[in-house]
Amino acid sequence: MTKLTVTSESFRLAEVFTISRGSRTEAKVLTVRATDGDLMGWGECVPYARYGESLESVADEIMALPEDITRASLQEALHPGAARNAVDCALWDLEAKRAGKRVWQMLDLPAPIPMITAYTLSLGTPESMQAAAAKHAHRPLLKIKLGTPDDMARLEAVRRGAPKSKIIVDANEGWSAEVYSDLAPHLVRLGVQLVEQPLPAGQDDMLAEIERPLPVCADESCHDRASLPDLKGKYDVINIKLDKTGGLTEALELRNAARAEGYGIMVGCMVGTSLAMAPAVLVAQGARVVDLDGPLLLAEDRDEPLKFDAQGVHPPVRALWG
């Protein structure tokens, strides 16, 4: 029988991380271990209050699972979300250890390669964001957290700080259709490549009616394959996060289904450790945008962390996951 254990852990951030919903100084995660004799697989999730999750509620969901849970039965036992993600990834890791193979080999996928990842600049004053952009101007892709009435000044400041970097912006549901329409020409002028979730999920129908001069990506509006019908005509790209899909299993299915419907793929993350990013690196292969910078925001990480260099984020070593 596979035994599941759940541990709550905290990892310090390198600096305060702020988005339109608030600030944090640490990444609070749940680590799930799936044990079978001498073998152990593990996974990580970040419960997200935006989706009604807490460390306690997600841990309770996991511990209520039966001991004979399999990846196949897990998909029906839990809804898409953080709990299913951690267990699904732990079971994948355990299966790989049982088989003596890597997860990508079990999936009959090509060997993963490094992918350039965005680096996220925390929301701050225009002055602080310009300074942060200048500090990271060597990075090829920067992501800016926006979603306030003062966004234009922040965006201009970041472009001054990093004149050569590509930029994507994440409004975190903070704009109205009118605000987005006003900002869009300026986003194009400043070379922004993509805008994430400009309007609140459930209030985004106007995206089908207004001009979209640059690609618009669904984040909070897209969780799993069941989300796709409601995105038609409103979005050009979808952001796949394992904590939304409920694990690697559904993330790969969502990627395939979304590509078949013509969507571009972005692969993102919550603020977590290398353990959370490791399975997402498999999903990120060939993606239009990769945003797996969680470990870069931490002051401490897992043993055998993911490698980041000029080539981007590298696939995990066997000792980390998969």
Side-chain angles (χ1 to χ4, degrees), residues 24-82:
R24 70 184 76 175
T25 59
E26 58 186 358
K28 296 181 178 179
V29 310
L30 288 178
T31 305
V32 171
R33 290 174 173 82
T35 307
D36 178 9
D38 294 332
L39 299 178
M40 186 275 290
W42 62 343
E44 177 186 312
C45 68
V46 180
Y48 201 41
R50 168 67 177 80
Y51 305 133
E53 298 173 336
S54 68
L55 292 168
E56 295 77 15
S57 70
V58 170
D60 288 345
E61 283 186 81
I62 294 168
M63 294 316 297
L65 290 169
E67 285 192 348
D68 61 349
I69 195 73
T70 64
R71 270 196 312 102
S73 59
L74 175 68
Q75 308 310 310
E76 299 298 325
L78 290 179
H79 57 81

Short mmCIF file of all heavy atoms in Angstrom, two decimals, residues 24-82:
data_model
loop_
_atom_site.label_atom_id
_atom_site.label_comp_id
_atom_site.label_asym_id
_atom_site.label_seq_id
_atom_site.Cartn_x
_atom_site.Cartn_y
_atom_site.Cartn_z
N ARG A 24 4.26 39.13 0.67
CA ARG A 24 4.69 37.98 1.46
C ARG A 24 6.21 38.00 1.61
O ARG A 24 6.92 38.57 0.79
CB ARG A 24 4.23 36.67 0.83
CG ARG A 24 4.94 36.32 -0.46
CD ARG A 24 4.38 35.07 -1.11
NE ARG A 24 3.11 35.35 -1.77
CZ ARG A 24 2.45 34.47 -2.50
NH1 ARG A 24 2.93 33.24 -2.65
NH2 ARG A 24 1.32 34.77 -3.09
N THR A 25 6.68 37.35 2.68
CA THR A 25 8.12 37.26 2.93
C THR A 25 8.60 35.82 2.93
O THR A 25 9.79 35.56 3.09
CB THR A 25 8.47 37.89 4.29
OG1 THR A 25 7.73 37.21 5.33
CG2 THR A 25 8.11 39.38 4.32
N GLU A 26 7.68 34.87 2.77
CA GLU A 26 8.04 33.46 2.75
C GLU A 26 7.08 32.69 1.85
O GLU A 26 5.96 33.13 1.61
CB GLU A 26 8.02 32.87 4.16
CG GLU A 26 6.68 33.01 4.86
CD GLU A 26 6.70 32.55 6.30
OE1 GLU A 26 7.75 32.09 6.76
OE2 GLU A 26 5.65 32.64 6.97
N ALA A 27 7.56 31.57 1.36
CA ALA A 27 6.71 30.66 0.59
C ALA A 27 6.26 29.54 1.53
O ALA A 27 7.09 28.80 2.06
CB ALA A 27 7.49 30.10 -0.58
N LYS A 28 4.97 29.45 1.74
CA LYS A 28 4.42 28.40 2.58
C LYS A 28 3.88 27.30 1.68
O LYS A 28 2.99 27.54 0.86
CB LYS A 28 3.32 28.95 3.49
CG LYS A 28 3.82 29.98 4.49
CD LYS A 28 2.70 30.48 5.39
CE LYS A 28 3.22 31.46 6.42
NZ LYS A 28 2.12 31.98 7.29
N VAL A 29 4.42 26.10 1.82
CA VAL A 29 4.09 25.01 0.92
C VAL A 29 3.71 23.76 1.71
O VAL A 29 3.99 23.66 2.90
CB VAL A 29 5.28 24.68 -0.02
CG1 VAL A 29 5.80 25.94 -0.69
CG2 VAL A 29 6.41 23.99 0.73
N LEU A 30 3.07 22.83 1.02
CA LEU A 30 2.83 21.50 1.57
C LEU A 30 3.65 20.50 0.76
O LEU A 30 3.62 20.52 -0.47
CB LEU A 30 1.35 21.12 1.50
CG LEU A 30 0.40 21.85 2.46
CD1 LEU A 30 -1.04 21.40 2.21
CD2 LEU A 30 0.78 21.61 3.91
N THR A 31 4.38 19.66 1.47
CA THR A 31 5.16 18.61 0.83
C THR A 31 4.49 17.27 1.09
O THR A 31 4.21 16.91 2.23
CB THR A 31 6.59 18.57 1.40
OG1 THR A 31 7.18 19.87 1.27
CG2 THR A 31 7.44 17.55 0.66
N VAL A 32 4.19 16.55 0.02
CA VAL A 32 3.57 15.23 0.12
C VAL A 32 4.59 14.17 -0.23
O VAL A 32 5.29 14.27 -1.25
CB VAL A 32 2.35 15.12 -0.82
CG1 VAL A 32 1.84 13.69 -0.87
CG2 VAL A 32 1.24 16.05 -0.35
N ARG A 33 4.68 13.16 0.62
CA ARG A 33 5.56 12.01 0.34
C ARG A 33 4.70 10.76 0.19
O ARG A 33 3.84 10.49 1.04
CB ARG A 33 6.58 11.84 1.47
CG ARG A 33 7.64 12.93 1.50
CD ARG A 33 8.55 12.82 2.71
NE ARG A 33 9.65 13.79 2.65
CZ ARG A 33 9.56 15.07 3.01
NH1 ARG A 33 8.40 15.53 3.47
NH2 ARG A 33 10.61 15.88 2.91
N ALA A 34 4.93 10.04 -0.90
CA ALA A 34 4.23 8.78 -1.16
C ALA A 34 5.26 7.66 -1.00
O ALA A 34 6.22 7.58 -1.77
CB ALA A 34 3.64 8.77 -2.57
N THR A 35 5.07 6.83 0.01
CA THR A 35 6.06 5.81 0.36
C THR A 35 5.54 4.42 0.06
O THR A 35 4.39 4.09 0.36
CB THR A 35 6.43 5.92 1.85
OG1 THR A 35 6.83 7.27 2.14
CG2 THR A 35 7.57 4.99 2.20
N ASP A 36 6.40 3.60 -0.54
CA ASP A 36 6.09 2.20 -0.82
C ASP A 36 7.34 1.39 -0.48
O ASP A 36 8.28 1.33 -1.28
CB ASP A 36 5.70 2.03 -2.29
CG ASP A 36 5.42 0.57 -2.65
OD1 ASP A 36 5.35 -0.27 -1.74
OD2 ASP A 36 5.29 0.30 -3.86
N GLY A 37 7.36 0.82 0.71
CA GLY A 37 8.56 0.09 1.14
C GLY A 37 9.73 1.04 1.29
O GLY A 37 9.65 2.04 2.00
N ASP A 38 10.80 0.76 0.57
CA ASP A 38 11.99 1.60 0.65
C ASP A 38 11.96 2.75 -0.35
O ASP A 38 12.88 3.58 -0.37
CB ASP A 38 13.25 0.76 0.40
CG ASP A 38 13.49 -0.26 1.50
OD1 ASP A 38 13.07 0.01 2.64
OD2 ASP A 38 14.10 -1.31 1.20
N LEU A 39 10.93 2.81 -1.18
CA LEU A 39 10.86 3.84 -2.21
C LEU A 39 9.98 4.99 -1.76
O LEU A 39 8.96 4.79 -1.09
CB LEU A 39 10.31 3.25 -3.51
CG LEU A 39 11.13 2.13 -4.15
CD1 LEU A 39 10.42 1.62 -5.40
CD2 LEU A 39 12.54 2.61 -4.49
N MET A 40 10.38 6.22 -2.13
CA MET A 40 9.61 7.39 -1.77
C MET A 40 9.56 8.37 -2.94
O MET A 40 10.59 8.69 -3.53
CB MET A 40 10.23 8.08 -0.55
CG MET A 40 9.42 9.25 0.01
SD MET A 40 9.73 10.85 -0.84
CE MET A 40 11.41 11.21 -0.30
N GLY A 41 8.36 8.78 -3.29
CA GLY A 41 8.19 9.86 -4.27
C GLY A 41 7.59 11.06 -3.57
O GLY A 41 6.87 10.92 -2.59
N TRP A 42 7.88 12.24 -4.09
CA TRP A 42 7.34 13.42 -3.41
C TRP A 42 6.90 14.48 -4.39
O TRP A 42 7.26 14.49 -5.57
CB TRP A 42 8.32 13.97 -2.39
CG TRP A 42 9.66 14.48 -2.89
CD1 TRP A 42 10.27 14.23 -4.10
CD2 TRP A 42 10.56 15.32 -2.18
NE1 TRP A 42 11.47 14.85 -4.16
CE2 TRP A 42 11.69 15.54 -3.01
CE3 TRP A 42 10.55 15.91 -0.91
CZ2 TRP A 42 12.78 16.33 -2.62
CZ3 TRP A 42 11.62 16.69 -0.52
CH2 TRP A 42 12.71 16.89 -1.36
N GLY A 43 6.07 15.38 -3.87
CA GLY A 43 5.54 16.49 -4.66
C GLY A 43 5.24 17.66 -3.74
O GLY A 43 5.20 17.51 -2.51
N GLU A 44 5.02 18.81 -4.33
CA GLU A 44 4.78 20.03 -3.54
C GLU A 44 3.62 20.81 -4.12
O GLU A 44 3.40 20.82 -5.34
CB GLU A 44 6.04 20.90 -3.57
CG GLU A 44 5.91 22.24 -2.85
CD GLU A 44 7.14 23.10 -3.04
OE1 GLU A 44 8.26 22.58 -2.85
OE2 GLU A 44 7.00 24.30 -3.41
N CYS A 45 2.88 21.47 -3.26
CA CYS A 45 1.83 22.37 -3.71
C CYS A 45 1.83 23.64 -2.88
O CYS A 45 2.38 23.68 -1.77
CB CYS A 45 0.46 21.71 -3.66
SG CYS A 45 -0.16 21.35 -2.00
N VAL A 46 1.21 24.67 -3.43
CA VAL A 46 1.05 25.95 -2.73
C VAL A 46 -0.45 26.25 -2.68
O VAL A 46 -1.03 26.72 -3.68
CB VAL A 46 1.79 27.08 -3.46
CG1 VAL A 46 1.61 28.40 -2.71
CG2 VAL A 46 3.28 26.75 -3.60
N PRO A 47 -1.10 25.97 -1.57
CA PRO A 47 -2.52 26.32 -1.44
C PRO A 47 -2.72 27.82 -1.67
O PRO A 47 -1.91 28.64 -1.21
CB PRO A 47 -2.85 25.92 0.00
CG PRO A 47 -1.86 24.85 0.32
CD PRO A 47 -0.60 25.27 -0.37
N TYR A 48 -3.80 28.16 -2.37
CA TYR A 48 -3.98 29.55 -2.79
C TYR A 48 -5.34 30.05 -2.32
O TYR A 48 -6.38 29.51 -2.71
CB TYR A 48 -3.88 29.62 -4.32
CG TYR A 48 -3.55 30.98 -4.87
CD1 TYR A 48 -2.61 31.80 -4.27
CD2 TYR A 48 -4.17 31.44 -6.03
CE1 TYR A 48 -2.30 33.06 -4.78
CE2 TYR A 48 -3.86 32.68 -6.56
CZ TYR A 48 -2.92 33.48 -5.93
OH TYR A 48 -2.62 34.71 -6.46
N ALA A 49 -5.33 31.08 -1.50
CA ALA A 49 -6.58 31.60 -0.92
C ALA A 49 -7.55 32.08 -2.00
O ALA A 49 -8.77 32.02 -1.81
CB ALA A 49 -6.26 32.74 0.05
N ARG A 50 -7.02 32.55 -3.14
CA ARG A 50 -7.88 33.01 -4.23
C ARG A 50 -8.84 31.91 -4.66
O ARG A 50 -9.96 32.20 -5.12
CB ARG A 50 -6.98 33.44 -5.41
CG ARG A 50 -7.70 33.68 -6.74
CD ARG A 50 -8.62 34.88 -6.67
NE ARG A 50 -9.25 35.15 -7.95
CZ ARG A 50 -10.32 34.48 -8.42
NH1 ARG A 50 -10.86 33.51 -7.71
NH2 ARG A 50 -10.85 34.81 -9.60
N TYR A 51 -8.45 30.66 -4.49
CA TYR A 51 -9.31 29.53 -4.87
C TYR A 51 -9.90 28.82 -3.66
O TYR A 51 -10.30 27.66 -3.74
CB TYR A 51 -8.50 28.54 -5.72
CG TYR A 51 -7.85 29.18 -6.93
CD1 TYR A 51 -6.52 28.95 -7.24
CD2 TYR A 51 -8.59 30.03 -7.75
CE1 TYR A 51 -5.93 29.55 -8.35
CE2 TYR A 51 -8.00 30.64 -8.86
CZ TYR A 51 -6.68 30.39 -9.15
OH TYR A 51 -6.10 30.99 -10.25
N GLY A 52 -9.94 29.51 -2.52
CA GLY A 52 -10.57 28.95 -1.33
C GLY A 52 -9.74 27.89 -0.64
O GLY A 52 -10.29 27.06 0.10
N GLU A 53 -8.42 27.91 -0.87
CA GLU A 53 -7.56 26.88 -0.28
C GLU A 53 -6.74 27.45 0.87
O GLU A 53 -6.36 28.62 0.87
CB GLU A 53 -6.60 26.33 -1.34
CG GLU A 53 -7.27 25.64 -2.51
CD GLU A 53 -6.29 25.27 -3.61
OE1 GLU A 53 -5.22 25.91 -3.71
OE2 GLU A 53 -6.61 24.35 -4.38
N SER A 54 -6.43 26.61 1.84
CA SER A 54 -5.51 26.95 2.93
C SER A 54 -4.60 25.74 3.16
O SER A 54 -4.88 24.63 2.68
CB SER A 54 -6.27 27.28 4.21
OG SER A 54 -6.91 26.12 4.72
N LEU A 55 -3.53 25.95 3.90
CA LEU A 55 -2.65 24.83 4.23
C LEU A 55 -3.43 23.72 4.91
O LEU A 55 -3.26 22.53 4.62
CB LEU A 55 -1.51 25.31 5.13
CG LEU A 55 -0.48 26.24 4.48
CD1 LEU A 55 0.40 26.87 5.55
CD2 LEU A 55 0.38 25.50 3.47
N GLU A 56 -4.31 24.11 5.83
CA GLU A 56 -5.07 23.13 6.61
C GLU A 56 -6.09 22.40 5.75
O GLU A 56 -6.21 21.17 5.81
CB GLU A 56 -5.77 23.82 7.78
CG GLU A 56 -4.84 24.40 8.82
CD GLU A 56 -4.19 25.72 8.39
OE1 GLU A 56 -4.67 26.34 7.40
OE2 GLU A 56 -3.19 26.11 9.02
N SER A 57 -6.83 23.13 4.92
CA SER A 57 -7.88 22.48 4.12
C SER A 57 -7.28 21.52 3.10
O SER A 57 -7.81 20.43 2.86
CB SER A 57 -8.75 23.53 3.42
OG SER A 57 -8.04 24.20 2.39
N VAL A 58 -6.17 21.92 2.51
CA VAL A 58 -5.53 21.07 1.50
C VAL A 58 -4.92 19.83 2.16
O VAL A 58 -5.04 18.71 1.64
CB VAL A 58 -4.48 21.87 0.71
CG1 VAL A 58 -3.64 20.95 -0.18
CG2 VAL A 58 -5.16 22.93 -0.14
N ALA A 59 -4.29 20.00 3.32
CA ALA A 59 -3.74 18.85 4.03
C ALA A 59 -4.84 17.87 4.41
O ALA A 59 -4.66 16.64 4.30
CB ALA A 59 -2.98 19.32 5.27
N ASP A 60 -5.98 18.39 4.82
CA ASP A 60 -7.11 17.52 5.18
C ASP A 60 -7.60 16.72 3.97
O ASP A 60 -7.93 15.53 4.09
CB ASP A 60 -8.27 18.35 5.75
CG ASP A 60 -7.97 18.89 7.15
OD1 ASP A 60 -7.02 18.39 7.79
OD2 ASP A 60 -8.70 19.80 7.60
N GLU A 61 -7.67 17.38 2.81
CA GLU A 61 -8.09 16.67 1.59
C GLU A 61 -7.16 15.50 1.29
O GLU A 61 -7.61 14.41 0.93
CB GLU A 61 -8.08 17.64 0.40
CG GLU A 61 -9.22 18.61 0.31
CD GLU A 61 -9.16 19.39 -0.99
OE1 GLU A 61 -9.59 18.86 -2.03
OE2 GLU A 61 -8.64 20.52 -0.98
N ILE A 62 -5.87 15.75 1.44
CA ILE A 62 -4.89 14.72 1.10
C ILE A 62 -4.97 13.56 2.08
O ILE A 62 -4.96 12.38 1.67
CB ILE A 62 -3.47 15.33 1.09
CG1 ILE A 62 -3.35 16.35 -0.04
CG2 ILE A 62 -2.41 14.24 0.94
CD1 ILE A 62 -2.11 17.22 0.03
N MET A 63 -5.07 13.86 3.36
CA MET A 63 -5.06 12.80 4.37
C MET A 63 -6.35 11.99 4.37
O MET A 63 -6.39 10.90 4.94
CB MET A 63 -4.78 13.39 5.75
CG MET A 63 -3.38 13.99 5.90
SD MET A 63 -2.05 12.96 5.19
CE MET A 63 -2.19 11.48 6.20
N ALA A 64 -7.38 12.50 3.72
CA ALA A 64 -8.64 11.75 3.64
C ALA A 64 -8.64 10.75 2.48
O ALA A 64 -9.57 9.94 2.36
CB ALA A 64 -9.81 12.73 3.46
N LEU A 65 -7.59 10.75 1.67
CA LEU A 65 -7.53 9.82 0.54
C LEU A 65 -7.30 8.39 1.04
O LEU A 65 -6.61 8.18 2.04
CB LEU A 65 -6.40 10.22 -0.41
CG LEU A 65 -6.59 11.50 -1.21
CD1 LEU A 65 -5.28 11.90 -1.89
CD2 LEU A 65 -7.70 11.34 -2.25
N PRO A 66 -7.83 7.41 0.32
CA PRO A 66 -7.60 6.01 0.71
C PRO A 66 -6.16 5.59 0.45
O PRO A 66 -5.48 6.15 -0.43
CB PRO A 66 -8.57 5.23 -0.18
CG PRO A 66 -8.80 6.12 -1.36
CD PRO A 66 -8.74 7.53 -0.84
N GLU A 67 -5.69 4.59 1.17
CA GLU A 67 -4.30 4.15 1.03
C GLU A 67 -4.03 3.47 -0.31
O GLU A 67 -2.87 3.39 -0.73
CB GLU A 67 -3.92 3.21 2.17
CG GLU A 67 -3.71 3.92 3.50
CD GLU A 67 -3.05 3.02 4.52
OE1 GLU A 67 -2.99 1.79 4.27
OE2 GLU A 67 -2.62 3.53 5.57
N ASP A 68 -5.07 3.01 -0.98
CA ASP A 68 -4.85 2.33 -2.27
C ASP A 68 -5.01 3.30 -3.44
O ASP A 68 -5.24 2.89 -4.58
CB ASP A 68 -5.81 1.15 -2.42
CG ASP A 68 -7.28 1.59 -2.40
OD1 ASP A 68 -7.55 2.76 -2.06
OD2 ASP A 68 -8.14 0.75 -2.72
N ILE A 69 -4.86 4.60 -3.18
CA ILE A 69 -5.06 5.59 -4.23
C ILE A 69 -4.01 5.40 -5.33
O ILE A 69 -2.84 5.13 -5.07
CB ILE A 69 -4.98 7.03 -3.65
CG1 ILE A 69 -5.55 8.06 -4.64
CG2 ILE A 69 -3.57 7.41 -3.23
CD1 ILE A 69 -7.02 8.03 -4.78
N THR A 70 -4.44 5.51 -6.56
CA THR A 70 -3.55 5.47 -7.72
C THR A 70 -3.70 6.80 -8.46
O THR A 70 -4.63 7.56 -8.21
CB THR A 70 -3.92 4.33 -8.66
OG1 THR A 70 -5.24 4.57 -9.19
CG2 THR A 70 -3.89 2.98 -7.94
N ARG A 71 -2.81 7.04 -9.40
CA ARG A 71 -2.94 8.27 -10.17
C ARG A 71 -4.27 8.32 -10.92
O ARG A 71 -4.90 9.37 -11.02
CB ARG A 71 -1.78 8.42 -11.15
CG ARG A 71 -0.59 9.15 -10.60
CD ARG A 71 0.34 9.61 -11.70
NE ARG A 71 0.64 8.58 -12.67
CZ ARG A 71 0.11 8.48 -13.88
NH1 ARG A 71 -0.77 9.38 -14.29
NH2 ARG A 71 0.44 7.50 -14.70
N ALA A 72 -4.68 7.19 -11.44
CA ALA A 72 -5.93 7.15 -12.20
C ALA A 72 -7.13 7.46 -11.29
O ALA A 72 -7.98 8.29 -11.63
CB ALA A 72 -6.10 5.79 -12.86
N SER A 73 -7.19 6.81 -10.13
CA SER A 73 -8.32 7.05 -9.23
C SER A 73 -8.24 8.44 -8.59
O SER A 73 -9.27 9.01 -8.22
CB SER A 73 -8.38 5.97 -8.15
OG SER A 73 -7.20 5.92 -7.39
N LEU A 74 -7.04 8.97 -8.47
CA LEU A 74 -6.87 10.30 -7.88
C LEU A 74 -7.58 11.37 -8.69
O LEU A 74 -8.13 12.34 -8.13
CB LEU A 74 -5.37 10.63 -7.79
CG LEU A 74 -5.01 12.03 -7.31
CD1 LEU A 74 -5.38 12.21 -5.83
CD2 LEU A 74 -3.52 12.30 -7.52
N GLN A 75 -7.59 11.21 -10.02
CA GLN A 75 -8.19 12.24 -10.88
C GLN A 75 -9.67 12.43 -10.58
O GLN A 75 -10.20 13.55 -10.73
CB GLN A 75 -7.99 11.88 -12.36
CG GLN A 75 -6.56 11.56 -12.76
CD GLN A 75 -5.54 12.59 -12.32
OE1 GLN A 75 -5.72 13.78 -12.55
NE2 GLN A 75 -4.47 12.14 -11.67
N GLU A 76 -10.33 11.37 -10.13
CA GLU A 76 -11.74 11.46 -9.77
C GLU A 76 -11.94 11.74 -8.29
O GLU A 76 -12.94 12.33 -7.89
CB GLU A 76 -12.47 10.17 -10.14
CG GLU A 76 -12.44 9.84 -11.62
CD GLU A 76 -13.13 10.91 -12.45
OE1 GLU A 76 -14.13 11.48 -11.97
OE2 GLU A 76 -12.66 11.19 -13.58
N ALA A 77 -10.99 11.34 -7.47
CA ALA A 77 -11.14 11.49 -6.02
C ALA A 77 -11.02 12.94 -5.57
O ALA A 77 -11.66 13.34 -4.58
CB ALA A 77 -10.09 10.64 -5.29
N LEU A 78 -10.20 13.73 -6.26
CA LEU A 78 -10.00 15.13 -5.88
C LEU A 78 -10.26 16.04 -7.08
O LEU A 78 -9.97 15.68 -8.22
CB LEU A 78 -8.57 15.36 -5.37
CG LEU A 78 -8.20 14.75 -4.02
CD1 LEU A 78 -6.74 15.06 -3.69
CD2 LEU A 78 -9.11 15.27 -2.91
N HIS A 79 -10.77 17.22 -6.81
CA HIS A 79 -10.99 18.21 -7.85
C HIS A 79 -9.65 18.85 -8.24
O HIS A 79 -8.66 18.75 -7.50
CB HIS A 79 -11.96 19.28 -7.37
CG HIS A 79 -11.50 19.97 -6.11
ND1 HIS A 79 -10.57 21.00 -6.11
CD2 HIS A 79 -11.82 19.77 -4.81
CE1 HIS A 79 -10.35 21.40 -4.88
NE2 HIS A 79 -11.09 20.67 -4.06
N PRO A 80 -9.58 19.51 -9.39
CA PRO A 80 -8.35 20.21 -9.75
C PRO A 80 -7.97 21.22 -8.68
O PRO A 80 -8.82 21.96 -8.19
CB PRO A 80 -8.71 20.92 -11.07
CG PRO A 80 -9.85 20.13 -11.62
CD PRO A 80 -10.62 19.65 -10.43
N GLY A 81 -6.72 21.25 -8.29
CA GLY A 81 -6.27 22.16 -7.25
C GLY A 81 -5.00 21.68 -6.61
O GLY A 81 -4.37 20.72 -7.05
N ALA A 82 -4.61 22.37 -5.55
CA ALA A 82 -3.31 22.13 -4.92
C ALA A 82 -3.19 20.72 -4.36
O ALA A 82 -2.13 20.08 -4.49
CB ALA A 82 -3.08 23.17 -3.82
#
